[in-house]
């Protein structure tokens, strides 16, 4: 391409011996339009892009636009620290009284207990055994003259007896209101001391009586007690009745 452009340029330009000014006998150069064989040169390559111009000055701020629509609600943030307690407010009006509650148990403690022992080996069948050795009888609910416990506080009671058996067999029953409710029988072993016992829970009403007695004939009254062997009768209140 460069070679072709050089050839065309030689053909168009005047020769080296020709002048460039008009003179006598020298014909003036022909204009482009007068030369029927004139040809335009090949267009050159486009030039390189120039460097970007400098930024223009900032324009004048425009007018404030209209308020846009509310955006979507964002996620809940973390809880902040507890603030300082505020000043105590004024006292409110009294509320409506509530319903009356159920009656509670009395603060009074109900007590009824006794523990007694046998002082003599002589017992009579079919009558209450008189335990006259008093271990505990602070409320005096046990009567040592009759051998009976008298109920003064209605409720649930626990009764027990532990007897020593010597020389004869023993048949003992625990009575409540003239009715035997518990029976104990021990067959005496020759030349030995036996032990027999019984216990029971009974609900008593005020005025009820409880006692021990030997039942049967006199051959089964081997209850025994001395200074080293005891026969005992015990009872106490577990729960009093509530109304």
């Amino acid at each position: 391409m460069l070679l072709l452009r050089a050839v065309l340029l030689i053909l168009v330009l005047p020769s080296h011996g020709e002048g460039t000014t008009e003179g006598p006998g020298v014909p003036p150069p022909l204009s482009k339009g007068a030369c029927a064989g004139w040809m335009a040169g090949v267009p050159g390559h486009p030039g390189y892009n120039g460097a970007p111009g400098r930024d223009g000055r900032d324009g004048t701020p425009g007018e404030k636009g209209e308020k846009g629509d509310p955006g979507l609600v964002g996620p809940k943030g973390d809880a902040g620290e507890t603030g300082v307690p505020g000043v105590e407010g004024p006292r409110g009006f009294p509320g409506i009284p509530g319903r009356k509650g159920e009656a509670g148990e009395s603060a009074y403690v109900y007590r009824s207990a006794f523990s007694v022992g046998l002082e003599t080996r002589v017992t009579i069948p079919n009558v209450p055994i008189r335990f006259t050795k008093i271990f505990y009888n602070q409320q005096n609910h046990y009567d040592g003259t009759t051998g009976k416990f008298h109920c003064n506080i209605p409720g649930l009671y626990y009764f027990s007896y532990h007897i020593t058996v010597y020389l004869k067999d023993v048949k003992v029953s625990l009575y409540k209101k003239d009715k035997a409710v518990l029976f104990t029988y021990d067959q005496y072993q020759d030349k030995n001391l036996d032990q027999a016992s019984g216990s029971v829970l009974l609900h008593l009403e005020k005025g009820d009586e409880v006692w021990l007695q030997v039942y049967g004939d006199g051959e089964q009254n081997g209850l025994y007690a001395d200074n080293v062997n005891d026969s005992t009768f015990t009872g106490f209140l577990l729960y009093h009745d509530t109304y």
Side-chain angles (χ1 to χ4, degrees):
M1 182 62 68
L2 293 177
L3 181 61
L4 179 59
R5 291 180 63 187
V7 173
L8 293 176
L9 185 60
I10 294 174
L11 294 176
V12 173
L13 293 178
S15 63
H16 183 74
E18 293 178 348
T20 59
T21 60
E22 294 181 3
V26 178
L30 297 175
S31 64
K32 294 179 181 181
C35 182
W38 184 84
M39 293 179 63
V42 178
H45 292 286
Y48 295 103
N49 294 331
R54 294 179 300 175
D55 294 338
R57 297 179 180 179
D58 295 336
T60 304
E63 296 180 359
K64 185 177 180 179
E66 296 180 358
K67 185 177 180 180
D69 297 330
L72 299 176
V73 178
K76 183 179 180 180
D78 297 333
E81 297 181 358
T82 304
V84 179
V87 180
E88 184 177 356
R91 184 175 181 179
F93 295 103
I96 300 174
R99 294 182 300 175
K100 184 177 180 180
E102 297 180 359
E105 293 188 3
S106 172
Y108 177 79
V109 179
Y110 295 87
R111 293 184 174 91
S112 180
F114 73 96
S115 184
V116 293
L118 192 67
E119 289 186 300
T120 176
R121 56 178 292 185
V122 178
T123 57
I124 302 174
N126 302 314
V127 296
I129 302 172
R130 293 177 61 245
F131 293 87
T132 55
K133 182 188 293 187
I134 306 300
F135 299 111
Y136 179 88
N137 191 29
Q138 186 173 352
Q139 295 80 35
N140 293 316
H141 293 168
Y142 172 80
D143 186 353
T145 61
T146 63
K148 294 182 178 181
F149 168 77
H150 298 271
C151 176
N152 288 268
I153 304 172
L156 182 65
Y157 286 80
Y158 173 79
F159 295 96
S160 66
Y161 51 89
H162 302 272
I163 57 178
T164 300
V165 181
Y166 184 57
L167 298 179
K168 294 182 179 181
D169 297 344
V170 166
K171 291 183 179 180
V172 174
S173 58
L174 184 141
Y175 277 76
K176 170 190 172 184
K177 296 174 56 176
D178 296 324
K179 181 179 180 180
V181 294
L182 186 66
F183 298 89
T184 298
Y185 172 70
D186 181 81
Q187 188 174 16
Y188 173 70
Q189 304 296 322
D190 191 21
K191 297 180 181 181
N192 196 5
L193 285 174
D194 291 347
Q195 299 289 330
S197 62
S199 60
V200 67
L201 286 172
L202 294 177
H203 181 270
L204 303 181
E205 300 292 343
K206 187 173 182 179
D208 288 348
E209 294 178 331
V210 177
W211 67 91
L212 284 177
Q213 73 179 39
V214 174
Y215 66 91
D217 56 32
E219 296 300 320
Q220 284 82 33
N221 63 344
L223 268 75
Y224 181 79
D226 57 22
N227 59 341
V228 293
N229 296 282
D230 284 304
S231 293
T232 62
F233 181 33
T234 300
F236 53 86
L237 174 67
L238 286 177
Y239 306 103
H240 72 276
D241 290 345
T242 57
Y243 301 98

